[in-house]
Amino acid sequence: MMARMRVHLVSLVSDCTLAAITLAAITLTAAPVRATALGREVGAGQVRLLSTTLVGLWAYDDDGQRADADPLRAQSFSTDLELGVAPRLTLRAKLPWVISSTADASGVQQRSGIGDVTIGGQLRLTETGPVALSARLDVKAPFYSGPPTVRGRSPSGGPALGDGQVDVTALALLGGRLPFSGFVDLELGYRLRAGDVTDAVVGGGRLGVRALERRLLLALRLDTVVTFDPAAGSAERLGRGGATLGPWVALRVVDALHLEMGAYYVGRGRNAPGGAELTFGLWLPF
C-alpha cells in the first residue's frame, strides 16, 4: 500500500510541483505584475456561467487500471460568483445544476438536481512583485442524499449528481506573467474528505499566452487529484482521483464580456470515469 502511495505522490510532484518550481523561476525574469486572477478588489467581482459536459467512455478501478464501463454523461450548468469583500480577501461560491445519465442493457437512467455546492474564501498574500501568491479555502457539500460515488456513478451503477461527500480543500495559488505575453496560474493543496472516504493531494494550473491585443487567451490546462489509499484494516473507501488535460481558450467580446471554451482528456484516474470533457462559459466582471 505504501509503495503505491509513494508512486502516486511522485507522479503528482512530477506533474505539478516540479512544473510550479520551473515556471516560477521563469516568471521571476518577467516584469513585476500583480496577478488579477488571484483575487478581486473591494467591491469588485465576477459572475461566471459555465456549461460542463463529461462523457465517460471507460472507468478506472481502485488500482488505476482501465476497465470497461457503461456509458456515462454528466451535464452541469453552474453559476460561479467572486466578490471582493475586504482588502486582499475574496469570497467565492459555486452552485451547479446537474443532469446525469447512464446507459446499460436495461436502458437509460437519468437524474437531475442541484449538485455539489462550493463556498470559500481567497486571501492574497502579496501585493507587488514578479509573482502573486494567494491562499484559498473551499468547502464542498452535496445538496442531495446518497452514498459516495463509485467510478463516477452511484454504487448501484446509476447516475449521480456529484461525488457524494463533504470536502474541505486548502490551496496555495501562484500567478504571474511570462515573457512574450505569456501567463501562468498554478495551484497545489490538500483535500480533506469527510466520512469514510480517503483524502487527496490536488494540483494543476494553466500555462498560456495573450494575443490580439490581449483580447484572446490561449492556454493548456492541467488538473490532478492524487487520492490516498485506505488505511490498513479501516472501513474507508478510496476517493475519486485522476487527471484532466487539454486546451482552454477565452475571448473578450466587449470590454467586460468574455467567452471561454475548453476540451479535455480525462484519464489516469482511480475510482473514476475516463473519457472527455467539454466546457463552454460566459463571464462578466463587475
Side-chain angles (χ1 to χ4, degrees):
M1 180 186 70
M2 293 301 297
R4 281 192 300 175
M5 184 182 297
R6 285 194 295 269
V7 168
H8 290 292
L9 284 175
V10 169
S11 176
L12 177 69
V13 170
S14 176
D15 289 344
C16 301
T17 309
L18 184 58
I21 295 173
T22 303
L23 291 172
I26 297 174
T27 305
L28 288 172
T29 66
V33 8
R34 181 168 61 84
T36 57
L38 297 182
R40 305 290 168 183
E41 297 296 336
V42 177
Q46 176 179 281
V47 175
R48 181 182 183 219
L49 305 176
L50 185 66
S51 168
T52 302
T53 304
L54 170 65
V55 179
L57 303 176
W58 63 85
Y60 294 95
D61 63 17
D62 288 2
D63 294 321
Q65 299 299 312
R66 182 167 166 170
D68 293 334
D70 294 325
L72 166 70
R73 183 180 184 273
Q75 175 83 52
S76 69
F77 302 94
S78 64
T79 300
D80 299 1
L81 176 65
E82 296 183 0
L83 179 63
V85 296
R88 302 192 182 193
L89 179 62
T90 300
L91 296 185
R92 303 160 49 89
K94 178 178 181 179
L95 178 66
W97 179 268
V98 180
I99 304 173
S100 180
S101 61
T102 58
D104 56 24
S106 63
V108 177
Q109 302 179 60
Q110 189 174 87
R111 186 180 179 188
S112 61
I114 298 177
D116 294 332
V117 175
T118 303
I119 58 173
Q122 186 168 302
L123 180 65
R124 189 170 67 244
L125 303 177
T126 60
E127 288 288 337
T128 59
V131 296
L133 298 174
S134 290
R136 192 170 84 201
L137 185 69
D138 290 334
V139 178
K140 178 179 72 66
F143 264 44
Y144 52 90
S145 60
T149 57
V150 177
R151 304 181 188 180
R153 300 158 174 82
S154 68
S156 65
L161 298 179
D163 288 337
Q165 80 272 328
V166 176
D167 294 343
V168 178
T169 303
L171 290 164
L173 300 97
L174 175 150
R177 293 179 180 172
L178 300 176
F180 309 107
S181 299
F183 67 92
V184 59
D185 291 311
L186 298 170
E187 60 184 45
L188 184 65
Y190 189 87
R191 178 164 295 161
L192 177 67
R193 289 167 167 155
D196 59 351
V197 181
T198 59
D199 298 344
V201 175
V202 298
R206 295 178 303 170
L207 175 63
V209 296
R210 299 174 175 87
L212 301 179
E213 298 181 347
R214 300 184 181 275
R215 296 183 66 90
L216 179 66
L217 304 180
L218 305 170
L220 183 66
R221 177 180 170 183
L222 169 69
D223 292 307
T224 60
V225 178
V226 179
T227 189
F228 293 107
D229 288 313
S234 73
E236 286 184 314
R237 299 183 182 183
L238 184 77
R240 180 172 173 174
T244 302
L245 176 67
W248 175 86
V249 179
L251 175 66
R252 188 173 77 243
V253 180
V254 294
D255 286 343
L257 181 65
H258 296 72
L259 298 176
E260 69 169 273
M261 181 177 67
Y264 310 106
Y265 168 75
V266 181
R268 296 185 61 84
R270 300 178 70 197
N271 185 27
E277 184 177 89
L278 299 176
T279 62
F280 298 91
L282 173 70
W283 28 291
L284 180 67
F286 61 86

